[in-house]
Amino acid sequence: MTKTVEFFYDFTSPTAYLAWARLPAIAERTGATIRYRPMFLGGVMQATGNRPPGTLPQKGAWMAADLARWAKRFNTPYKPNPHFPMMTLMVQRAAQEWVDRPDFDKYLAAIFTAAWRDQKNIADKAVLAEVLTAAGFSQEEFFAATENPANKEKLKATTDEAVARGVFGAPTFFVDGEMHFGQDRLDFVEEALLRS
């Protein structure tokens, strides 16, 4: 049986970006498959009563420094996004369209790096059109995907499933039913994959 790690994420999360940058190497070392689970973090937080770290100024300042430390430790290009927090319904709905396609990794790279390396506002349609065109995607197909009722329903269903399984933020991982929250828990994710 193939080992699998489920990765619940939202592009608005800088810690999900840091996790995305590291997860493929962990999967390769452990022989695991990554199952990407795009969810809507705003819906998760509303359902669970969670609040963004930046709503508490002391925690927001600490987190900004901590993100820089983690990025440096793993040599991940990272710049805080001045447009944060970004409304990600469009990119999360489109992720539902691409998640099982061969070029999904390219989609992930285009959106994550636009947000957390290039400091682009991924909630802005004009910016997204530019980012997607540069990555070789069709703007028309992307924007159609964001309005597709099936993708809207899939995103809602994945978000509801995440909440039902105990998810309260991003990134969240599951290995053999065991939940791990935060990019700083990837060592535990790797250990769990080695055991499974």
Side-chain angles (χ1 to χ4, degrees), residues 6-189:
E6 291 181 88
F7 175 30
F8 285 86
Y9 75 92
D10 188 311
F11 289 113
T12 198
S13 167
T15 52
Y17 163 71
L18 294 178
W20 162 77
R22 291 178 56 203
L23 202 53
I26 291 171
E28 186 175 339
R29 285 195 298 270
T30 60
T33 298
I34 303 168
R35 184 178 178 209
Y36 292 96
R37 307 299 309 277
M39 65 178 183
F40 181 52
L41 184 56
V44 168
M45 292 190 129
Q46 184 175 13
T48 61
N50 195 1
R51 298 177 64 199
T55 58
L56 181 63
Q58 296 94 327
K59 189 172 184 180
W62 170 83
M63 189 170 179
D66 198 53
L67 286 165
R69 280 191 290 265
W70 281 101
K72 183 177 179 182
R73 169 167 285 184
F74 291 99
N75 198 29
T76 304
Y78 165 76
K79 290 182 184 174
N81 193 310
H83 308 287
F84 179 82
M86 295 163 282
M87 175 56 75
T88 54
L89 273 175
M90 285 191 295
V91 288
Q92 294 300 107
R93 287 172 179 166
Q96 297 291 343
E97 178 92 11
W98 265 274
V99 73
D100 294 320
R101 294 189 185 184
D103 56 355
F104 182 63
D105 287 339
K106 188 169 78 165
Y107 178 75
L108 282 172
I111 305 300
F112 266 132
T113 60
W116 300 110
R117 185 193 68 193
D118 302 333
Q119 300 178 302
K120 295 192 181 284
N121 183 359
I122 59 169
D124 183 287
K125 286 187 174 183
V127 171
L128 278 173
E130 177 187 300
V131 167
L132 292 160
T133 299
F137 289 99
S138 159
Q139 294 178 39
E140 293 76 14
E141 188 178 9
F142 170 81
F143 288 114
T146 68
E147 295 301 324
N148 183 331
N151 292 331
K152 292 180 181 182
E153 187 52 43
K154 284 181 198 171
L155 182 60
K156 184 181 182 311
T158 304
T159 302
D160 290 346
E161 178 194 340
V163 171
R165 292 175 67 185
V167 173
F168 54 87
T172 299
F173 313 91
F174 285 91
V175 179
D176 291 335
E178 183 180 43
M179 187 175 97
H180 304 273
F181 169 71
Q183 64 85 27
D184 53 349
R185 297 301 190 269
L186 282 172
D187 288 350
F188 290 118
V189 169

